[in-house]
């Protein structure tokens, strides 16, 4: 952990003496330049920094975003401001992946974010239970078309092989 702390301190020192706007521009050039995700990361970072800046200096709420970012120094942002922003994002109903993207941006900007990530819900896998398969195949057969019979064969095949729907749809032969 001591090594991690030193790495975080080194990253934070990189932004010493900068405003949030300058830190964002520096991260754009040094970290995201030329990457396919540059525009998305800049948008998320700008939004994240704006929220954090408002927790650090609530009196700046009437200023336009870019002026707020130019008015707040990187070093003014404290862990409690980061936690408050993340709490607000979660409370507003943002998806965990969006919250985590913003936290990643804050990390790139030299802030300690280890305990700020939102746990991602496990993605459910889809499969048919035997009783569901019987109902589905009966309904498909009741429609009586050729395509419906082919679909019944596909459903039975997919269920018996144990393939997930997305796996079976990727098969080419």
């Amino acid at each position: 952990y001591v090594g991690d702390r030193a790495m975080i301190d080194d990253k934070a020192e990189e932004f010493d003496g900068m405003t949030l706007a300058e830190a964002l521009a520096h991260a754009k050039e040094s970290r995201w330049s030329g990457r396919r995700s540059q525009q998305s990361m800049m948008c998320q970072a700008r939004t994240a920094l704006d929220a954090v800046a408002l927790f650090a200096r609530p009196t700046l709420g009437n200023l336009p975003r870019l002026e707020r970012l130019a008015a707040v120094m990187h070093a003014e942002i404290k862990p409690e401001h980061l936690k408050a922003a993340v709490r607000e994002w979660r409370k507003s109903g943002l998806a965990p992946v969006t919250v985590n993207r913003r936290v990643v941006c804050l990390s790139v900007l030299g802030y300690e974010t280890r305990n700020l990530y939102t746990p991602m819900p496990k993605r459910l896998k889809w499969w048919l239970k035997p009783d569901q398969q019987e109902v589905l195949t009966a309904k498909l057969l009741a429609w009586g078309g050729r395509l419906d019979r082919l679909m019944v064969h596909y459903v039975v095949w997919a269920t018996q092989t144990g393939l997930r729907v997305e796996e079976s749809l990727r098969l080419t032969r």
Side-chain angles (χ1 to χ4, degrees), residues 20-157:
L20 294 181
E22 293 167 340
L24 184 61
H26 178 70
K28 177 183 179 183
E29 293 306 314
S30 65
R31 298 289 179 9
W32 298 316
S33 181
R35 292 182 186 237
R36 191 176 55 156
S37 63
Q38 178 183 358
Q39 188 174 3
S40 171
M41 296 304 281
M42 283 296 295
C43 180
Q44 292 294 343
R46 204 175 297 115
T47 301
L49 285 176
D50 187 44
V52 171
L54 284 172
F55 280 106
R57 304 248 302 269
T59 57
L60 299 178
N62 293 332
L63 291 178
R65 177 190 288 183
L66 295 178
E67 288 182 36
R68 272 195 299 268
L69 295 181
V72 178
M73 297 302 291
H74 182 273
E76 285 182 62
I77 305 302
K78 305 295 178 218
E80 58 267 17
H81 303 135
L82 301 173
K83 289 177 187 171
V86 171
R87 231 184 350 264
E88 184 65 32
W89 298 331
R90 288 177 184 157
K91 192 171 116 182
S92 73
L94 286 177
V97 70
T98 303
V99 173
N100 289 344
R101 273 194 200 118
R102 291 180 183 178
V103 172
V104 165
C105 292
L106 292 170
S107 176
V108 167
L109 289 159
Y111 296 110
E112 167 60 66
T113 60
R114 181 183 314 246
N115 298 319
L116 298 178
Y117 290 92
T118 301
M120 299 289 285
K122 291 194 178 204
R123 191 170 170 200
L124 295 176
K125 302 294 181 190
W126 182 86
W127 67 88
L128 276 178
K129 295 177 183 156
D131 57 327
Q132 294 170 322
Q133 178 185 336
E134 289 173 20
V135 171
L136 179 60
T137 55
K139 285 185 179 185
L140 288 171
L141 288 172
W143 285 333
R146 181 179 177 280
L147 186 58
D148 299 327
R149 286 193 308 279
L150 286 173
M151 185 56 75
V152 168
H153 290 298
Y154 169 75
V155 168
V156 171
W157 175 79

